[in-house]
Amino acid sequence: MLAVALAALPACAETQARADVAEPATPPSGPFAAAPGDTAGPPSASVFVGCGFLLIENHGRTTFTVLLRGEHVVQLPLQDQTVFDLDEVLVETTTASAELIGAPAARGEELLRRHMEWEAEWTARQHGWTGFRPTGAPLDLGTGIPAMLWGYDTPTPLNVMGQSVTGVMYLTAAVDDVVFVLSAPLRAGDDPARVGRKLRDDVRTLRKSPSPVDPVAFSRQLQAAPQPWDGCRNGGRR
């Protein structure tokens, strides 16, 4: 069951993180920063950087980046969702604000717990589930950023892109008043432990930026640079 796998993952992840901590991907700065007079601010975006996709998350005064690495990485062409195939692990990325989930003053682990409850309640209503409860706990990623690993077995199978899904795993991180969310539907044959490790490795690259990042300027700089982006090296394991 997914609950058993979730219970075992935090201890394993913490031990490995202490022994082999990956350096966070360095966020773009300098010429990639948004113009000071840009009051609206640049949008959030995903940019292919060679070793994966860099998520540029611009949320007002809160800006951060996350590097989704892999040998085989594809962003699926979906209009209303941001979904990636990362080495055969299907991952959706979203964000939610403290205000959106009805907890404007919550921060850190409290914000993550409130988000889990809010997400679970919404999911139960969507599918008509009763007595539905997720399972999870805080997870120390060794980065100083509060994180939580949680998930659930579905009371009834879900159809996701033509495949039967019987569980969903989440890894969330609290950055100021913003929750960054990685979720992975568990299909037949998916190893929950492998999926959990993948989510953990991706969220460990989360890095706050001192100012909003312009994804268009960053993309242009990448195209003009003859060498691979430095963040691919810095975001990997040593």
Side-chain angles (χ1 to χ4, degrees):
M1 299 292 287
L2 179 56
V4 176
L6 287 169
L9 273 169
C12 296
E14 184 176 357
T15 300
Q16 186 167 353
R18 289 172 178 166
D20 183 20
V21 176
E23 293 292 335
T26 304
S29 59
F32 309 131
D38 186 0
T39 56
S44 297
S46 59
V47 180
F48 184 70
V49 293
C51 62
F53 283 89
L54 183 72
L55 304 182
I56 297 174
E57 298 288 345
N58 292 314
H59 302 277
R61 292 174 295 179
T62 300
T63 296
F64 56 93
T65 59
V66 180
L67 180 60
L68 305 181
R69 295 176 60 96
E71 295 294 328
H72 174 76
V73 292
V74 177
Q75 183 169 358
L76 303 185
L78 302 176
Q79 289 186 347
D80 301 325
Q81 298 170 282
T82 305
V83 179
F84 300 87
D85 183 334
L86 307 174
D87 295 332
E88 299 185 356
V89 175
L90 198 62
V91 171
E92 180 179 4
T93 72
T94 59
T95 59
S97 68
E99 183 175 3
L100 175 66
I101 68 175
R107 298 293 186 273
E109 289 185 8
E110 180 188 0
L111 177 58
L112 297 178
R113 180 182 57 80
R114 294 290 296 272
H115 170 265
M116 178 180 68
E117 295 169 353
W118 174 80
E119 185 80 35
E121 289 174 3
W122 183 88
T123 300
R125 287 197 306 270
Q126 287 291 106
H127 299 286
W129 295 337
T130 58
F132 171 69
R133 292 291 183 273
T135 301
L139 180 63
D140 182 4
L141 298 177
T143 63
I145 296 176
M148 176 174 284
L149 181 68
W150 63 278
Y152 53 82
D153 294 308
T154 62
T156 57
L158 301 178
N159 185 292
V160 177
M161 300 180 187
Q163 299 188 54
S164 180
V165 168
T166 58
V168 182
M169 185 179 295
Y170 291 80
L171 207 162
T172 57
V175 187
D176 301 332
D177 65 337
V178 176
V179 179
F180 173 72
V181 183
L182 280 186
S183 60
L186 298 177
R187 304 157 294 183
D190 283 338
D191 178 4
R194 178 175 180 267
V195 172
R197 288 193 298 269
K198 180 58 182 166
L199 299 184
R200 180 208 63 195
D201 290 346
D202 287 338
V203 176
R204 283 172 65 193
T205 70
L206 191 154
R207 182 75 171 270
K208 291 188 67 174
S209 176
S211 59
V213 175
D214 183 347
V216 175
F218 176 56
S219 296
R220 289 173 177 167
Q221 183 68 21
L222 280 178
Q223 294 171 3
Q227 300 297 326
W229 181 52
D230 286 344
C232 285
R233 183 186 69 252
N234 296 338
R237 299 184 184 281
R238 293 183 179 180

